[in-house]
């Protein structure tokens, strides 16, 4: 039992440590999709984006957080500096099953990566501001961000979530205390 409690404390501390984002951000503030995030990050939740016409969903968004971020958020209601969020965006496949119309993740479109930066470490970098680093990566080129300016390409979608550190926390059951 002591080892488990100790491990949890280490994980929570790691999320609050700005160096925990070092594997996702280089010295110039260039972001990248973290390696092994599917096996090392924690699931926050998923979003289904309704189809423009007909039944089902056109996209599924699966959101994961760097280790310890959930525990830290539950403690004080904020993502600590260094938290990394990864949103996988999938096209869907929709069909009728015995449970009803079902849409599931099918083809990966890309990733949206955010890194919490309460200290403003990358002034002058157009992908950093409002307490976060922001970048979109196409599935065809995960090593190079397609984003050039978060103010025009990222922030506008997050305006309704400004009061919760620009993140739609209401959609993440894992953050509920």
């Amino acid at each position: 039992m002591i080892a488990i409690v100790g491990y949890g404390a280490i994980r929570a501390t790691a999320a609050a440590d700005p160096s925990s984002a070092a594997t996702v951000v280089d010295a110039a503030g260039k972001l990248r999709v973290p390696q092994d995030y599917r096996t090392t990050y924690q699931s926050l939740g998923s979003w289904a984006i309704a189809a423009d016409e007909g039944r089902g969903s056109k996209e599924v968004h699966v959101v994961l957080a760097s280790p310890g971020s959930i525990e830290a958020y539950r403690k004080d209601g904020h993502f600590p500096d260094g938290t990394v969020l990864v949103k996988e965006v999938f096209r869907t496949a929709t069909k009728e099953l015995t449970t009803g119309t079902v849409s599931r993740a099918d083809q990966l479109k890309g990733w949206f990566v955010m890194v919490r930066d309460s200290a403003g470490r990358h002034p002058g970098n157009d992908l950093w501001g409002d307490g976060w680093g922001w970048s979109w990566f196409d599935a065809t080129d995960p090593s190079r961000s397609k984003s050039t300016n978060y103010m025009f390409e990222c922030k506008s979608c997050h305006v309704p979530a400004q009061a919760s550190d620009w993140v739609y926390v209401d959609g993440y059951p894992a953050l509920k205390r």
Side-chain angles (χ1 to χ4, degrees):
M1 184 63 143
I2 294 171
I4 293 170
V5 172
Y7 179 67
I10 290 169
R11 289 176 50 134
T13 303
D17 180 359
S19 66
S20 70
T23 61
V24 180
V25 182
D26 69 15
K30 180 181 172 186
L31 280 73
R32 60 187 154 276
V33 178
Q35 292 184 334
D36 301 326
Y37 70 89
R38 285 185 177 162
T39 57
T40 59
Y41 279 36
Q42 301 170 293
S43 174
L44 287 182
S46 299
W47 297 82
I49 310 304
D52 293 329
E53 294 181 18
R55 297 173 56 158
S57 300
K58 66 179 175 182
E59 290 181 348
V60 171
H61 297 181
V62 178
V63 184
L64 300 109
S66 53
S69 300
I70 292 172
E71 294 87 352
Y73 185 90
R74 285 181 186 163
K75 184 178 178 181
D76 67 10
H78 297 283
F79 289 106
D81 200 61
T83 294
V84 179
L85 303 179
V86 176
K87 176 171 62 174
E88 297 177 309
V89 177
F90 291 93
R91 288 185 180 88
T92 62
T94 301
K95 65 181 181 179
E96 295 298 323
L97 297 177
T98 56
T99 55
T101 304
V102 176
S103 296
R104 64 166 174 80
D106 188 33
Q107 182 182 7
L108 180 67
K109 290 176 69 175
W111 304 267
F112 186 63
V113 177
M114 293 175 70
V115 177
R116 184 74 171 119
D117 177 36
S118 59
R121 289 179 185 78
H122 302 285
N125 184 321
D126 289 339
L127 295 178
W128 292 80
D130 289 301
W132 292 91
W134 316 65
S135 279
W136 168 260
F137 299 85
D138 286 342
T140 58
D141 191 2
S143 63
R144 189 170 57 114
S145 174
K146 296 296 180 189
S147 303
T148 59
N149 189 313
Y150 91 97
M151 292 287 289
F152 304 112
E153 300 164 340
C154 306
K155 185 178 174 180
S156 61
C157 291
H158 290 254
V159 168
Q162 181 177 359
S164 55
D165 287 337
W166 302 99
V167 178
Y168 291 93
V169 296
D170 290 345
Y172 303 128
L175 299 178
K176 306 289 187 227
R177 297 177 203 196

